[in-house]
Amino acid sequence: WSKLKSGLARTSSSLTTGITAIFTKRKLDAATLEELEDVLIQADLGLDTAMRITETLRRDRFDKEISDEEVRAVLAAEVEKVLAPHAVPLTIDPTKKPHVVLVVGVNGTGKTTTIGKLSAELTRAGRSVMLCAGDTFRAAAIDQLRIWGGRVGAPVIAREPGADAAGLAFDALKQARDEGRDVLIIDTAGRLQNKAELMAELGKIVRVLKKQDPEAPHSVLLTLDATTGQNALNQVEIFGQVAGVTGLVMTKLDGTARGGILVAIAAKFKLPIHYIGVGEGIDDLEPFDAADFAKAIAG
Ligand code: GDP
């Protein structure tokens, strides 16, 4: 909670400073509601949620004095209402050996780091994890995954840069099955510049995995960088089409004023939100909790 609270401090302070400025000893009238709606939209909460919050206030409190605490309480309640149905833990099916997790997302959004943090969590829970360096385009991504693998004690299946990612994923799944691993986590390349290539490559990875296990991948996680604000909405759209995303991880919620974007994404796509990233360290991945998140951004 303390990490979440401090991580979201910038999102929260941009919201609450705006709210306090509007509602210091003022009546709730058309002008204050308009100003409030602007603050909410600027915090990336999305037009629908912003309008619902102002509508709730208009209905209940119009022409009455209202304190900023009361406005923040309405904000927290509405945000929690939007998020709660989508706060779903990532479940690993213990009957799958392995449960295959494909991790997709634009380069730089935190795929490799999230894989490292997630493997640490799964390893701590007693699961045997194998990693696959499926971003074969960037030598640095392969090196990074090896470092994470070493840190958490998970073997990393990798090939030289430029190798065929689908072939590598196929071999990794075979090895994970042979070894009776609980979880195989596959990193992927996220070059959004060429959507056709991205689609072809992810499609091929999924196809070859299914040759060994028709249900694989069992989870397709999309990492989204909170600092990119509205761009994250497009990324959900694109990767949803290309890779059949089953759940989201929102990274870099620490140090951004744009954490509200998670609310807009939940409202629009209704996908499970599994985790949030609140730092670069191994312990900086938190299961997503709607009430905590709402409280942390409403200040
Ligand atoms: P990838 O290209 O998608 O694999 O992204 P990386 O995992 O390499 O992450 C890109 C950068 O973002 C790295 O410098 C990470 O340390 C950093 N990063 C990832 N997740 C978080 C997070 O939750 N908070 C912060 N502050 N940085 C993060």
Side-chain angles (χ1 to χ4, degrees):
W1 164 253
S2 69
K3 227 168 217 169
L4 177 68
K5 177 91 181 142
S6 65
L8 285 169
R10 283 183 58 195
T11 298
S12 162
S13 85
S14 91
L15 269 167
T16 54
T17 311
I19 293 172
T20 307
I22 301 169
F23 290 101
T24 305
K25 294 198 203 97
R26 276 177 66 181
K27 264 191 187 166
L28 191 71
D29 57 19
T32 52
L33 280 169
E34 181 89 36
E35 285 174 52
L36 175 63
E37 203 167 88
D38 287 347
V39 167
L40 300 175
I41 290 168
Q42 270 156 32
D44 282 317
L45 287 174
L47 187 62
D48 291 350
T49 303
M51 283 172 63
R52 215 172 27 255
I53 292 167
T54 50
E55 275 319 305
T56 302
L57 287 165
R58 189 194 309 273
R59 188 190 63 214
D60 298 343
R61 305 298 301 268
F62 197 72
D63 220 19
K64 299 195 181 92
E65 289 224 345
I66 187 163
S67 68
D68 63 338
E69 285 85 2
E70 290 170 286
V71 174
R72 296 210 309 256
V74 171
L75 167 65
E78 286 292 332
V79 166
E80 185 181 342
K81 210 191 301 173
V82 174
L83 293 176
H86 313 297
V88 181
L90 175 70
T91 47
I92 299 294
D93 184 343
T95 67
K96 306 279 183 267
K97 299 275 179 192
H99 180 111
V100 180
V101 181
L102 189 65
V103 180
V104 302
V106 173
N107 289 340
T109 54
K111 285 183 300 292
T112 311
T113 309
T114 299
I115 291 172
K117 295 168 177 174
L118 183 59
S119 341
E121 183 185 307
L122 292 169
T123 306
R124 269 199 303 270
R127 295 209 154 101
S128 84
V129 177
M130 181 179 274
L131 305 179
C132 172
D135 181 355
T136 53
F137 282 85
R138 296 181 302 163
I142 302 173
D143 293 343
Q144 272 306 109
L145 200 70
R146 283 207 172 103
I147 292 171
W148 278 107
R151 215 176 275 170
V152 305
V156 178
I157 308 302
R159 281 188 198 154
E160 70 287 355
D164 175 46
L168 176 65
F170 184 86
D171 289 352
L173 178 52
K174 178 161 190 323
Q175 189 168 336
R177 293 182 86 175
D178 290 347
E179 294 181 14
R181 298 268 167 190
D182 297 314
V183 189
L184 171 67
I185 309 179
I186 304 173
D187 197 2
T188 61
R191 295 153 305 141
L192 207 49
Q193 299 86 330
N194 189 335
K195 198 177 145 193
E197 242 175 61
L198 178 82
M199 195 174 308
E201 180 167 300
L202 289 173
K204 197 169 157 201
I205 292 175
V206 169
R207 264 199 322 279
V208 302
L209 292 172
K210 287 192 188 306
K211 284 185 197 291
Q212 291 177 73
D213 180 347
E215 287 174 25
H218 308 95
S219 308
V220 181
L221 301 189
L222 172 64
T223 55
L224 295 168
D225 175 343
T227 64
T228 62
Q230 297 290 320
N231 282 334
L233 288 159
N234 297 331
Q235 294 170 15
V236 181
E237 198 112 34
I238 291 169
F239 281 92
Q241 292 163 10
V242 172
V245 172
T246 62
L248 305 176
V249 178
M250 176 69 78
T251 66
K252 307 190 201 179
L253 275 169
D254 52 307
T256 175
R258 318 186 78 173
I261 192 66
L262 192 54
V263 180
I265 286 170
K268 180 154 185 210
F269 296 101
K270 311 195 183 318
L271 279 165
I273 303 164
H274 297 310
Y275 289 102
I276 55 174
V278 291
E280 297 183 276
I282 197 161
D283 294 323
D284 295 332
L285 186 70
E286 302 193 348
F288 180 63
D289 182 293
D292 281 355
F293 186 91
K295 250 189 296 167
I297 72 165

